Amino acid sequence: MFDIYTIIFLALAVFIFIRLRSVLGQRTGRERPPYDPYSRRDAAKAPAGATDKVVNFPGTASDKPAVPAPVEPLEEDADPAPARWAGVAEVGSAVANGLDAIAAQERDFDARHFLTGARAAYEMIIVAFANGDRASLKDLLARDVFDGFSAAIAEREQRGEKMDTQFVGIEKAEIIEAEARGRSAQITVRFLSQLISVTRDRQGGVIDGDPEQVADVTDVWTFARELGARDPNWKLVATEAAS
């Protein structure tokens, strides 16, 4: 015979079971597995001998929220050639062909998103160099470029000079070259920027630049990375000051 307390506990247990089942749900065999943001990148193995030259590049694909890998589009659903690089490169140009070669190996490559990251990197590098911030530069530059920047900073420090740079803004950033050589991609960007920059001696006297003058500056920088590498970020590998 069940006493009244046994019946109450049984009823309570059934009630709790029903509530948990309604809250947690039931497995149907069709649940989507957790998304792994590295799964697609791991599928394309990095080439043998790949280096560690790829580091954090602000504003790149690594900053995008993780989304499921898209379903491969049918041929007729692909973006029309005239619209693919609209606003970035002219159809049939050498730049467009180079971007096509990069996108052929990495279908999620976005030239506009790359330019956003390149603009952010440009400002960070300019300011870090002026401040002698080697730690920030090391994360954004290839080894040989970093060595050159670091040597210039060291010479400036030995002379007791200091740079004061105010970044006004970037008037224009455009891709002027793009290519993929094997698994290595390079993209060259021309930056038209405005800076207020002055160099001072030990006593604080101005020896170069004008603290009241906004200067127009044109730089041509080349960024590179290994296609198919897990880290999708780019690194500065060459700089050139243009007139």
Side-chain angles (χ1 to χ4, degrees):
M1 294 289 295
F2 292 104
D3 57 30
I4 185 64
Y5 296 106
T6 301
I7 294 174
I8 291 174
F9 284 128
L10 286 174
L12 182 60
V14 171
F15 173 76
I16 293 174
F17 174 76
I18 293 174
R19 291 295 297 169
L20 285 174
R21 190 177 180 84
S22 65
V23 172
L24 300 178
Q26 304 179 52
R27 295 189 63 83
T28 64
R30 301 179 62 182
E31 290 81 4
R32 180 176 297 177
Y35 174 67
D36 178 2
Y38 294 118
S39 59
R40 294 184 65 215
R41 299 175 194 149
D42 288 338
K45 296 182 179 179
T51 68
D52 58 353
K53 287 189 176 182
V54 182
V55 297
N56 292 335
F57 185 36
T60 53
S62 61
D63 298 326
K64 295 181 180 179
V67 295
V71 176
E72 293 293 331
L74 297 177
E75 191 67 29
E76 58 269 23
D77 292 334
D79 290 339
R84 187 174 197 183
W85 310 120
V88 177
E90 295 184 2
V91 178
S93 65
V95 172
N97 293 337
L99 295 175
D100 283 339
I102 295 173
Q105 298 193 54
E106 293 193 346
R107 296 178 63 87
D108 58 352
F109 171 74
D110 185 336
R112 297 174 188 81
H113 194 68
F114 166 85
L115 277 175
T116 299
R119 292 169 71 100
Y122 178 79
E123 179 176 353
M124 289 180 64
I125 292 170
I126 292 292
V127 174
F129 175 72
N131 294 336
D133 185 356
R134 293 179 175 84
S136 295
L137 291 173
K138 190 173 184 179
D139 287 340
L140 296 167
L141 312 180
R143 180 182 290 271
D144 53 347
V145 178
F146 172 77
D147 289 344
F149 276 46
S150 183
I153 292 173
E155 291 177 2
R156 193 171 68 210
E157 291 172 341
Q158 289 176 353
R159 294 192 299 266
E161 299 173 355
K162 291 186 177 180
M163 285 188 68
D164 181 12
T165 298
Q166 299 179 47
F167 197 90
V168 178
I170 298 176
E171 183 177 337
K172 186 177 182 180
E174 60 177 342
I175 296 175
I176 59 174
E177 292 181 12
E179 65 175 343
R181 294 183 178 179
R183 302 297 292 175
S184 178
Q186 288 194 356
I187 298 180
T188 301
V189 181
R190 179 190 288 120
F191 296 96
L192 306 180
S193 64
Q194 293 184 322
L195 308 172
I196 299 176
S197 185
V198 60
T199 302
R200 301 180 185 273
D201 59 21
R202 295 180 186 274
Q203 290 71 40
V206 176
I207 58 176
D208 188 32
D210 186 339
E212 305 296 330
Q213 180 69 38
V214 176
D216 294 323
V217 179
T218 301
D219 286 309
V220 178
W221 287 11
T222 300
F223 300 92
R225 70 175 291 265
E226 291 297 316
L227 297 174
R230 167 175 290 190
D231 192 333
N233 302 300
W234 298 72
K235 203 164 189 179
L236 179 64
V237 297
T239 65
E240 177 185 352
S243 57

